[in-house]
Amino acid sequence: MTVADLFRVGKGFQVKDANANKKLVGTAATEKNADKAADKLATLKLAEEISDLQNVLYAAHDRKLLIILQGMDTSGKDGTVKGVFGQINPLGARTVAFKAPSTDEKNHDYLWRIHKELPGKGEITIFNRSHYEDVLITRVHDWIDQAECKRRYAQIRDFERMLAETGTVILKFFLHISKAEQKVRLEERLADPEKHWKFDPQDLVERKYWDAYQEAYEDALQATDADHAPWYAVPSDSKTQRNLVIASIVQEKLLSLKLKYPPSNPEYSKLKVE
Protein backbone atom coordinates (compact mmCIF):
# COMPACT_ATOMS: atom_id res chain seq x y z
CA MET A 1 0.00 0.00 0.00
CA THR A 2 1.32 3.42 -0.93
CA VAL A 3 1.25 6.47 1.33
CA ALA A 4 -1.30 7.98 -1.04
CA ASP A 5 -3.57 4.99 -0.45
CA LEU A 6 -3.41 5.54 3.32
CA PHE A 7 -4.65 9.11 3.16
CA ARG A 8 -6.95 9.16 0.14
CA VAL A 9 -10.39 10.48 0.96
CA GLY A 10 -12.96 7.78 0.33
CA LYS A 11 -16.71 7.43 0.44
CA GLY A 12 -18.09 8.10 3.88
CA PHE A 13 -15.08 10.20 4.87
CA GLN A 14 -15.72 12.31 7.97
CA VAL A 15 -13.83 15.30 9.31
CA LYS A 16 -13.23 14.47 12.97
CA ASP A 17 -10.81 16.15 15.35
CA ALA A 18 -9.68 12.72 16.55
CA ASN A 19 -8.18 12.02 13.11
CA ALA A 20 -6.07 15.19 13.05
CA ASN A 21 -3.34 13.69 15.22
CA LYS A 22 -3.02 10.27 13.61
CA LYS A 23 0.54 9.20 12.81
CA LEU A 24 0.65 6.54 10.12
CA VAL A 25 4.06 7.09 8.49
CA GLY A 26 7.65 7.45 9.65
CA THR A 27 8.98 6.45 13.06
CA ALA A 28 5.78 7.67 14.70
CA ALA A 29 3.91 4.83 13.02
CA THR A 30 6.22 2.05 14.15
CA GLU A 31 7.79 3.15 17.43
CA LYS A 32 6.36 4.09 20.81
CA ASN A 33 8.49 7.23 20.96
CA ALA A 34 8.67 8.94 17.58
CA ASP A 35 12.06 10.19 16.41
CA LYS A 36 11.17 13.63 15.05
CA ALA A 37 14.74 14.22 13.88
CA ALA A 38 14.67 11.03 11.81
CA ASP A 39 11.29 11.92 10.29
CA LYS A 40 12.45 15.44 9.48
CA LEU A 41 15.53 14.00 7.78
CA ALA A 42 13.31 11.63 5.79
CA THR A 43 11.21 14.60 4.67
CA LEU A 44 14.34 16.52 3.65
CA LYS A 45 15.52 13.59 1.53
CA LEU A 46 12.11 13.37 -0.11
CA ALA A 47 12.14 17.13 -0.74
CA GLU A 48 15.52 16.79 -2.45
CA GLU A 49 14.22 13.96 -4.60
CA ILE A 50 11.14 16.03 -5.50
CA SER A 51 13.53 18.80 -6.56
CA ASP A 52 15.47 16.39 -8.79
CA LEU A 53 12.25 15.08 -10.34
CA GLN A 54 11.04 18.63 -10.90
CA ASN A 55 14.16 19.30 -12.98
CA VAL A 56 13.18 16.44 -15.29
CA LEU A 57 9.57 17.65 -15.39
CA TYR A 58 10.75 21.11 -16.39
CA ALA A 59 13.16 19.81 -19.02
CA ALA A 60 10.59 17.48 -20.58
CA HIS A 61 8.18 20.42 -20.90
CA ASP A 62 5.13 18.19 -21.22
CA ARG A 63 3.23 17.50 -17.99
CA LYS A 64 2.08 20.06 -15.41
CA LEU A 65 1.64 19.56 -11.67
CA LEU A 66 -0.92 21.43 -9.58
CA ILE A 67 -0.72 21.10 -5.79
CA ILE A 68 -3.71 22.38 -3.82
CA LEU A 69 -3.36 23.08 -0.09
CA GLN A 70 -6.58 23.69 1.83
CA GLY A 71 -7.14 23.84 5.55
CA MET A 72 -8.27 25.93 8.48
CA ASP A 73 -6.17 28.88 9.65
CA THR A 74 -2.85 27.73 11.20
CA SER A 75 -3.16 24.27 9.61
CA GLY A 76 0.26 24.72 8.03
CA LYS A 77 -0.11 25.72 4.40
CA ASP A 78 2.88 28.06 4.54
CA GLY A 79 4.88 25.51 6.53
CA THR A 80 4.16 22.85 3.91
CA VAL A 81 5.40 25.10 1.12
CA LYS A 82 8.65 25.69 2.98
CA GLY A 83 9.16 22.17 4.35
CA VAL A 84 8.17 20.12 1.30
CA PHE A 85 8.79 22.37 -1.68
CA GLY A 86 11.57 24.59 -0.38
CA GLN A 87 14.26 22.68 -2.27
CA ILE A 88 12.68 23.15 -5.71
CA ASN A 89 14.39 25.35 -8.27
CA PRO A 90 12.12 28.41 -8.53
CA LEU A 91 12.73 28.46 -12.29
CA GLY A 92 9.96 25.93 -12.80
CA ALA A 93 7.83 26.29 -9.68
CA ARG A 94 5.77 28.94 -7.98
CA THR A 95 3.30 29.41 -5.17
CA VAL A 96 0.03 31.33 -5.49
CA ALA A 97 -1.68 32.50 -2.30
CA PHE A 98 -5.34 33.31 -2.89
CA LYS A 99 -6.80 36.03 -0.69
CA ALA A 100 -10.24 37.62 -0.74
CA PRO A 101 -11.13 38.38 -4.39
CA SER A 102 -10.48 41.87 -5.70
CA THR A 103 -13.16 44.03 -7.30
CA ASP A 104 -11.94 43.01 -10.75
CA GLU A 105 -12.01 39.34 -9.80
CA LYS A 106 -15.55 39.68 -8.46
CA ASN A 107 -16.60 41.05 -11.85
CA HIS A 108 -15.76 37.67 -13.37
CA ASP A 109 -16.81 34.13 -12.58
CA TYR A 110 -15.16 32.62 -9.50
CA LEU A 111 -12.87 30.37 -11.55
CA TRP A 112 -11.49 33.23 -13.66
CA ARG A 113 -8.72 34.18 -11.24
CA ILE A 114 -7.87 30.51 -10.75
CA HIS A 115 -7.51 29.61 -14.40
CA LYS A 116 -4.91 32.25 -15.14
CA GLU A 117 -2.66 31.00 -12.32
CA LEU A 118 -2.53 27.36 -13.42
CA PRO A 119 0.84 25.75 -14.21
CA GLY A 120 2.19 25.74 -17.73
CA LYS A 121 4.04 22.83 -19.30
CA GLY A 122 6.92 21.69 -17.12
CA GLU A 123 5.78 23.71 -14.12
CA ILE A 124 4.77 22.91 -10.58
CA THR A 125 2.29 25.38 -9.11
CA ILE A 126 1.25 25.28 -5.46
CA PHE A 127 -2.07 26.85 -4.52
CA ASN A 128 -2.17 28.17 -0.94
CA ARG A 129 -5.97 28.12 -0.74
CA SER A 130 -7.80 27.82 -4.05
CA HIS A 131 -11.12 27.73 -5.86
CA TYR A 132 -12.40 25.63 -2.96
CA GLU A 133 -12.79 28.81 -0.93
CA ASP A 134 -15.83 29.40 -3.13
CA VAL A 135 -17.60 26.37 -1.65
CA LEU A 136 -16.26 26.77 1.89
CA ILE A 137 -16.32 30.30 3.33
CA THR A 138 -19.13 31.23 0.94
CA ARG A 139 -21.23 28.37 2.25
CA VAL A 140 -20.36 28.86 5.94
CA HIS A 141 -21.43 32.51 5.79
CA ASP A 142 -24.49 31.82 3.62
CA TRP A 143 -23.21 33.93 0.73
CA ILE A 144 -24.43 31.12 -1.52
CA ASP A 145 -27.32 28.72 -0.92
CA GLN A 146 -27.13 24.92 -1.02
CA ALA A 147 -28.36 24.76 -4.61
CA GLU A 148 -25.61 27.11 -5.77
CA CYS A 149 -23.05 25.17 -3.74
CA LYS A 150 -24.00 21.94 -5.53
CA ARG A 151 -23.79 23.71 -8.90
CA ARG A 152 -20.28 24.82 -8.00
CA TYR A 153 -19.28 21.29 -7.02
CA ALA A 154 -20.33 20.18 -10.51
CA GLN A 155 -18.48 23.08 -12.14
CA ILE A 156 -15.31 22.32 -10.16
CA ARG A 157 -15.49 18.64 -11.15
CA ASP A 158 -15.79 19.66 -14.82
CA PHE A 159 -13.00 22.21 -14.45
CA GLU A 160 -10.58 19.73 -12.90
CA ARG A 161 -11.47 17.03 -15.41
CA MET A 162 -10.61 19.44 -18.22
CA LEU A 163 -7.28 20.21 -16.56
CA ALA A 164 -6.45 16.52 -16.21
CA GLU A 165 -7.41 15.80 -19.81
CA THR A 166 -5.06 18.54 -21.01
CA GLY A 167 -1.98 17.33 -19.13
CA THR A 168 -2.28 18.69 -15.60
CA VAL A 169 -1.61 16.29 -12.73
CA ILE A 170 -3.67 17.38 -9.71
CA LEU A 171 -2.99 16.58 -6.05
CA LYS A 172 -5.30 18.09 -3.41
CA PHE A 173 -4.36 18.11 0.26
CA PHE A 174 -6.72 18.87 3.14
CA LEU A 175 -4.52 19.84 6.09
CA HIS A 176 -6.60 18.45 8.93
CA ILE A 177 -6.00 20.28 12.20
CA SER A 178 -8.00 19.91 15.42
CA LYS A 179 -9.72 22.80 17.16
CA ALA A 180 -7.52 22.31 20.24
CA GLU A 181 -4.32 22.48 18.19
CA GLN A 182 -5.50 25.59 16.37
CA LYS A 183 -6.07 27.23 19.75
CA VAL A 184 -2.47 26.44 20.76
CA ARG A 185 -1.05 27.87 17.53
CA LEU A 186 -3.13 31.04 17.68
CA GLU A 187 -2.06 31.59 21.29
CA GLU A 188 1.57 31.12 20.29
CA ARG A 189 1.23 33.81 17.67
CA LEU A 190 -0.34 36.20 20.13
CA ALA A 191 2.29 35.51 22.79
CA ASP A 192 5.30 36.06 20.53
CA PRO A 193 5.74 39.60 19.13
CA GLU A 194 7.87 38.19 16.32
CA LYS A 195 4.88 36.12 15.19
CA HIS A 196 2.34 38.94 15.28
CA TRP A 197 2.77 39.42 11.54
CA LYS A 198 1.23 35.96 11.12
CA PHE A 199 -1.81 36.79 13.20
CA ASP A 200 -5.05 38.08 11.71
CA PRO A 201 -7.91 39.03 14.09
CA GLN A 202 -10.28 37.63 11.48
CA ASP A 203 -8.95 34.16 12.39
CA LEU A 204 -10.74 34.47 15.74
CA VAL A 205 -13.97 35.38 13.98
CA GLU A 206 -13.77 32.40 11.64
CA ARG A 207 -12.95 30.09 14.56
CA LYS A 208 -16.44 30.69 15.90
CA TYR A 209 -17.75 28.87 12.82
CA TRP A 210 -15.57 25.80 13.43
CA ASP A 211 -18.34 23.19 13.22
CA ALA A 212 -19.80 24.74 10.09
CA TYR A 213 -16.40 24.68 8.42
CA GLN A 214 -15.87 21.02 9.31
CA GLU A 215 -19.21 20.17 7.69
CA ALA A 216 -18.41 22.27 4.63
CA TYR A 217 -15.02 20.60 4.21
CA GLU A 218 -16.51 17.14 4.59
CA ASP A 219 -19.12 17.80 1.90
CA ALA A 220 -16.67 19.48 -0.49
CA LEU A 221 -14.09 16.71 -0.24
CA GLN A 222 -16.65 13.98 -0.83
CA ALA A 223 -18.27 15.86 -3.71
CA THR A 224 -15.05 16.63 -5.60
CA ASP A 225 -12.74 13.68 -4.95
CA ALA A 226 -11.88 11.87 -8.21
CA ASP A 227 -9.13 9.61 -9.46
CA HIS A 228 -7.85 12.35 -11.76
CA ALA A 229 -8.07 14.96 -8.95
CA PRO A 230 -7.77 13.07 -5.65
CA TRP A 231 -8.17 14.53 -2.18
CA TYR A 232 -5.84 13.46 0.63
CA ALA A 233 -6.78 14.16 4.26
CA VAL A 234 -3.46 14.82 6.01
CA PRO A 235 -3.34 14.76 9.84
CA SER A 236 -1.73 18.12 10.61
CA ASP A 237 -1.62 18.50 14.39
CA SER A 238 1.97 17.28 13.98
CA LYS A 239 3.92 19.48 11.59
CA THR A 240 6.53 16.76 11.15
CA GLN A 241 3.95 14.13 10.22
CA ARG A 242 2.13 16.57 7.90
CA ASN A 243 5.25 17.35 5.88
CA LEU A 244 6.37 13.73 5.72
CA VAL A 245 2.97 12.58 4.45
CA ILE A 246 2.71 15.25 1.76
CA ALA A 247 6.31 14.85 0.62
CA SER A 248 5.79 11.09 0.34
CA ILE A 249 2.64 11.43 -1.76
CA VAL A 250 4.16 14.02 -4.11
CA GLN A 251 7.28 11.91 -4.57
CA GLU A 252 5.18 8.83 -5.29
CA LYS A 253 3.16 10.68 -7.91
CA LEU A 254 6.19 12.15 -9.67
CA LEU A 255 7.86 8.73 -9.79
CA SER A 256 4.69 7.21 -11.24
CA LEU A 257 4.88 9.63 -14.17
CA LYS A 258 8.14 7.95 -15.28
CA LEU A 259 9.61 11.29 -16.23
CA LYS A 260 12.51 11.38 -18.70
CA TYR A 261 14.80 14.06 -20.00
CA PRO A 262 14.21 14.97 -23.67
CA PRO A 263 16.14 12.89 -26.24
CA SER A 264 19.67 14.04 -26.91
CA ASN A 265 20.40 15.96 -30.11
CA PRO A 266 22.90 13.99 -32.27
CA GLU A 267 23.85 17.16 -34.11
CA TYR A 268 25.33 18.57 -30.95
CA SER A 269 28.10 15.96 -30.99
CA LYS A 270 29.45 17.61 -34.12
CA LEU A 271 29.76 21.02 -32.52
CA LYS A 272 32.98 22.36 -31.05
CA VAL A 273 33.43 25.11 -28.54
CA GLU A 274 36.33 27.29 -29.70
Side-chain angles (χ1 to χ4, degrees):
M1 179 179 287
T2 66
V3 176
D5 291 333
L6 283 174
F7 296 95
R8 174 73 183 272
V9 169
K11 291 183 178 179
F13 170 78
Q14 294 180 315
V15 178
K16 295 181 178 180
D17 275 11
N19 295 329
N21 195 38
K22 284 187 174 180
K23 297 180 177 65
L24 303 179
V25 299
T27 64
T30 58
E31 301 175 16
K32 186 174 182 179
N33 296 314
D35 187 341
K36 290 183 66 174
D39 287 348
K40 287 181 178 180
L41 180 59
T43 300
L44 177 60
K45 290 180 178 179
L46 286 167
E48 291 172 346
E49 186 170 355
I50 289 169
S51 177
D52 291 340
L53 290 165
Q54 185 268 338
N55 284 333
V56 187
L57 178 76
Y58 185 76
H61 200 68
D62 180 25
R63 307 299 293 274
K64 318 153 197 174
L65 178 59
L66 174 63
I67 306 289
I68 292 175
L69 304 177
Q70 281 288 156
M72 297 293 288
D73 299 314
T74 77
S75 60
K77 295 177 287 293
D78 292 342
T80 298
V81 172
K82 180 179 179 180
V84 177
F85 304 103
Q87 305 295 319
I88 294 179
N89 186 335
L91 183 65
R94 61 195 177 93
T95 300
V96 181
F98 288 98
K99 306 296 184 182
S102 66
T103 299
D104 187 36
E105 289 168 344
K106 288 179 179 178
N107 286 334
H108 295 80
D109 68 87
Y110 69 95
L111 290 172
W112 178 76
R113 65 173 184 160
I114 306 298
H115 209 151
K116 62 182 182 179
E117 298 291 357
L118 293 169
K121 290 181 178 180
E123 290 185 340
I124 294 177
T125 298
I126 304 151
F127 280 0
N128 184 332
R129 300 188 189 275
S130 67
H131 43 295
Y132 283 94
E133 292 298 300
D134 291 288
V135 290
L136 292 167
I137 188 171
T138 54
R139 173 181 167 181
V140 168
H141 290 282
D142 294 323
W143 299 338
I144 60 174
D145 60 22
Q146 188 62 26
E148 174 61 18
C149 189
K150 288 184 178 181
R151 277 192 293 271
R152 292 188 180 190
Y153 289 155
Q155 291 160 355
I156 287 172
R157 288 194 295 267
D158 290 342
F159 175 63
E160 292 179 345
R161 186 179 67 253
M162 180 273 294
L163 296 182
E165 290 174 351
T166 53
T168 300
V169 176
I170 305 170
L171 297 176
K172 302 181 293 191
F173 297 100
F174 167 52
L175 308 189
H176 188 189
I177 188 175
S178 67
K179 190 175 184 180
E181 179 61 22
Q182 189 197 55
K183 181 176 187 292
V184 170
R185 294 183 187 181
L186 287 172
E187 289 175 339
E188 287 176 349
R189 292 181 181 182
L190 286 171
D192 186 351
E194 293 186 357
K195 292 184 178 181
H196 283 182
W197 66 274
K198 289 185 175 183
F199 182 77
D200 183 346
Q202 186 63 29
D203 294 348
L204 299 182
V205 176
E206 297 303 321
R207 181 173 164 80
K208 296 177 181 179
Y209 296 91
W210 183 271
D211 291 342
Y213 270 109
Q214 305 311 289
E215 182 180 347
Y217 266 107
E218 191 172 287
D219 289 349
L221 268 58
Q222 289 184 2
T224 60
D225 176 66
D227 288 343
H228 60 268
W231 271 111
Y232 301 99
V234 181
S236 298
D237 277 7
S238 165
K239 300 174 184 178
T240 303
Q241 181 77 182
R242 177 199 70 212
N243 287 353
L244 181 56
V245 169
I246 294 175
S248 298
I249 293 173
V250 173
Q251 182 252 17
E252 287 176 352
K253 174 53 69 173
L254 287 171
L255 286 176
S256 75
L257 298 179
K258 301 187 184 304
L259 300 167
K260 294 181 180 180
Y261 282 108
S264 61
N265 189 332
E267 295 299 317
Y268 285 1
S269 63
K270 303 175 184 178
L271 299 177
K272 293 183 178 181
V273 180
E274 302 294 342

